[in-house]
Amino acid sequence: MTEYTDIQYTVKNGAATIAINRPDKYNAFRGQTCEEMIHALNRAGWDKSIGVIVLTGTGTKAFCTGGDQSAHDGGYDGRGLIGLPVEELQGLIREVPKPVIARVNGYAIGGGNVLVTCCDLAIAADTAIFGQVGPKVGSVDPGFGTALLARVAGEKKAREIWFLCRRYSAAQALEMGLVNTVVPADQLDAEVERWCDEIMALSPTAIAIAKRSFNADSDSIRGIGAMGMQALSLYYGTDESQEGVKAFMEKRKPKFRG
Ligand code: 2NE
């Protein structure tokens, strides 16, 4: 894979930036997007000249809004149990031996919020908005989306995020520990660059060892996620789940009960 259609891949001063480039879909990912992100993460992850990876979305509206609901018909349009190899993508963010920074430039919703959760660090524009929508749209991202979020934001807050599907400001995300810092939107790139430059001045091997040891404590969540995806694939076959997707696409409230 040398040409990408759904993402942009750029390198500057040892930092590789992977940007989802589907602004008309609020940077939602389809099967092809996940494949390209996996390819780009492997490309940057094992390139010794790269010391840090930045994950972001193009435009100012969205970082990423999760699975592309227009590519969902009882399952998404790609590979794997649910038609999106998200568990592989999330696992790879943790697996690459260098820090992955989420540059959150807008909505980080659903699977987009999970990407932020999985990244080692997160820097948000003050205009960014966070949240989960699964129970509103007939989905759930089990594993890193739930159990790792509880480690990051705390058990009660993670359950609130999933059980109420509210939206949270960048300031609230900072307070709950989901992001490391918040800056005015017009200073986002300069701030990300500053963090990348600081990382590039440090020992890559020490950082790789530190990352793996941080991961060790929560690696069992990968297994929970695998089991969860198996359950999710069955849930996607139900009327209840499909009502959620249909309601989102028809811009109406879902009717899950009765
Ligand atoms: C992002 C948010 C909150 C924005 O709301 P609002 O009211 O400001 O805008 P609107 O009209 O909802 O969205 C603007 C345009 O972006 C598209 C919309 O369809 C709309 O298109 P047009 O009508 O202008 O043509 N859009 C936004 N998000 C999209 C998406 N994910 N797929 C396709 N089109 C999308 C609001 O739009 C929102 O809540 N979006 C998220 C919807 C969602 O259901 N995400 C997937 C959750 S499940 C998931 O991610 C997942 C996973 O993480 C792991 C495994 C399986 C699934």
Side-chain angles (χ1 to χ4, degrees):
M1 197 187 289
T2 50
E3 297 285 324
Y4 299 121
T5 59
D6 287 17
I7 66 165
Q8 292 174 350
Y9 182 88
T10 51
V11 175
K12 187 180 172 193
N13 300 333
T17 297
I18 299 167
I20 301 175
N21 188 27
R22 308 188 75 221
D24 53 322
K25 299 279 185 192
Y26 276 35
N27 291 325
F29 48 68
R30 56 178 178 168
Q32 175 72 16
T33 322
C34 290
E35 299 295 357
E36 293 185 8
M37 291 175 80
I38 288 167
H39 185 276
L41 274 164
N42 272 313
R43 178 175 168 186
W46 306 106
D47 179 341
K48 285 198 167 61
S49 70
I50 303 293
V52 54
I53 300 169
V54 177
L55 212 61
T56 192
T58 60
T60 53
K61 282 267 187 320
F63 166 77
C64 172
T65 56
D68 180 345
Q69 299 295 41
S70 64
H72 188 298
D73 183 17
Y76 289 95
D77 66 343
R79 178 168 60 89
L81 274 169
I82 60 157
L84 280 180
V86 275
E87 64 274 49
E88 191 176 324
L89 173 61
Q90 295 161 1
L92 198 53
I93 291 172
R94 290 164 58 85
E95 190 63 28
V96 289
K98 50 199 71 171
V100 181
I101 302 178
R103 171 191 174 276
V104 192
N105 50 308
Y107 283 116
I109 297 285
N113 194 56
V114 180
L115 293 179
V116 176
T117 305
C118 290
C119 283
D120 299 289
L121 301 164
I123 302 174
D126 55 1
T127 48
I129 296 172
F130 300 79
Q132 289 302 152
V133 288
K136 219 180 345 186
V137 299
S139 189
V140 59
D141 194 331
F144 293 124
T146 49
L148 185 63
L149 182 65
R151 304 260 185 123
V152 171
E155 278 283 347
K156 287 284 189 290
K157 190 49 99 176
R159 286 165 202 247
E160 174 193 309
I161 290 168
W162 275 99
F163 297 166
L164 279 77
C165 293
R166 290 178 177 168
R167 296 182 196 174
Y168 299 87
S169 68
Q172 288 172 308
L174 181 63
E175 194 183 352
M176 68 176 87
L178 184 57
V179 302
N180 295 83
T181 191
V182 176
V183 294
D186 63 357
Q187 291 167 33
L188 184 60
D189 286 326
E191 188 68 15
V192 171
E193 207 168 312
R194 210 167 5 254
W195 286 54
C196 289
D197 288 347
E198 283 188 40
I199 290 167
M200 286 305 293
L202 302 174
S203 158
T205 307
I207 287 178
I209 295 169
K211 174 161 175 169
R212 294 215 184 282
S213 76
F214 281 123
N215 284 354
D217 188 42
S218 50
D219 267 352
S220 63
I221 293 174
R222 192 187 286 235
I224 300 168
M227 199 169 66
M229 286 297 164
Q230 202 76 46
L232 187 60
S233 69
L234 297 175
Y235 175 45
Y236 277 179
T238 66
D239 290 344
E240 184 180 330
S241 166
Q242 287 167 22
E243 163 62 7
V245 179
K246 267 180 68 185
F248 176 77
M249 292 308 295
E250 291 167 9
K251 297 187 185 291
R252 61 170 173 83
K253 283 203 166 124
K255 194 167 181 295
F256 290 121
R257 295 168 196 270

